[in-house]
Amino acid sequence: LNRLRSADIGDGATLPSDALPQVVFDDSMTVDLGGIHARLFAPPLASGHTDGDIFVYIPEAHVLCTGDFFFANRLPIVDTEVGGSLAGYLGSIRMLGKSLPAETRVIPGHGTFTPDPVRTWKLADWVAWSYTIENAAEYVRKRLAQGISVEDLSQQEPPPEIAPLVIRPRFVKWERWVSFISSEPGQ
């Protein structure tokens, strides 16, 4: 909320008070949607896609809506400028994989780029995807540790196991992924 209050929306202007959320919560809250209950909650770890992510879980249907926390079959956007971290991103996915019922279906915030119906994922598949993302990050780290420059690695084709994550259309290009991983703390 503080970030929204102080956000510059152009020419130094900020959001008017009536444009700010009227209902806020710290960790979680439940909303009754006419007999269906939706639990809104922060990820288990404070940093993920950003430091202000929210999930929506509908227990009666075993459905988890992830918003920008899940880019189906693509490299994720982790917005470090507003508190995101890859470790928090992957850690939260794995913690949810252990704490939610196995039959939970996951709705990504970004899925296919065709007019197909929304595809849901099995919870276990979402967790498995997190390991694919970790492997994509580890590949970059290893190549950089071998002395390959960020510029050179950015110009190379990703290996076959990572290439499907950057096919068109995509949100995160290979060059951006290499740059992101190279700038992580500890690199």
Side-chain angles (χ1 to χ4, degrees):
L1 187 58
N2 288 333
R3 190 176 297 135
L4 285 174
R5 283 189 183 118
S6 62
D8 182 342
I9 60 171
D11 297 327
T14 58
L15 288 170
S17 60
D18 62 346
L20 296 171
Q22 301 300 307
V23 177
V24 296
F25 61 93
D26 288 325
D27 295 320
S28 69
M29 71 178 286
T30 300
V31 179
D32 184 340
L33 304 171
I36 297 174
H37 296 90
R39 186 171 72 107
L40 288 66
F41 66 96
L45 300 174
S47 67
H49 167 64
T50 69
D51 65 357
D53 300 301
I54 296 174
F55 292 127
V56 177
Y57 180 62
I58 304 169
E60 293 93 341
H62 301 291
V63 170
L64 176 68
C65 303
T66 63
D68 284 345
F69 221 89
F70 185 20
F71 292 75
N73 292 326
R74 302 290 186 264
L75 293 171
I77 294 174
V78 179
D79 200 341
T80 56
E81 292 182 16
V82 288
S85 79
L86 186 60
Y89 187 92
L90 298 174
S92 284
I93 292 170
R94 292 169 191 163
M95 291 171 80
L96 289 169
K98 291 177 183 174
S99 66
L100 293 174
E103 64 270 19
T104 298
R105 300 299 296 185
V106 180
I107 299 175
H110 299 277
T112 63
F113 292 85
T114 61
D116 294 336
V118 173
R119 176 179 177 227
T120 63
W121 288 58
K122 294 177 183 176
L123 184 63
D125 292 338
W126 187 40
V127 172
W129 173 83
S130 78
Y131 286 98
T132 302
I133 298 307
E134 183 175 354
N135 291 338
E138 191 56 31
Y139 173 83
V140 171
R141 290 185 197 111
K142 284 180 181 177
R143 301 292 285 157
L144 295 175
Q146 293 169 345
I148 297 176
S149 71
V150 171
E151 295 77 23
D152 287 345
L153 186 55
S154 294
Q155 297 308 309
Q156 295 176 5
E157 291 294 320
E161 65 273 14
I162 298 172
L165 300 172
V166 296
I167 59 173
R168 291 190 181 271
R170 61 183 179 254
F171 289 99
V172 178
K173 294 181 179 179
W174 178 244
E175 299 83 14
R176 182 175 173 190
W177 181 252
V178 170
S179 176
F180 163 65
I181 297 301
S182 71
S183 65
E184 276 188 305
Q187 288 299 314

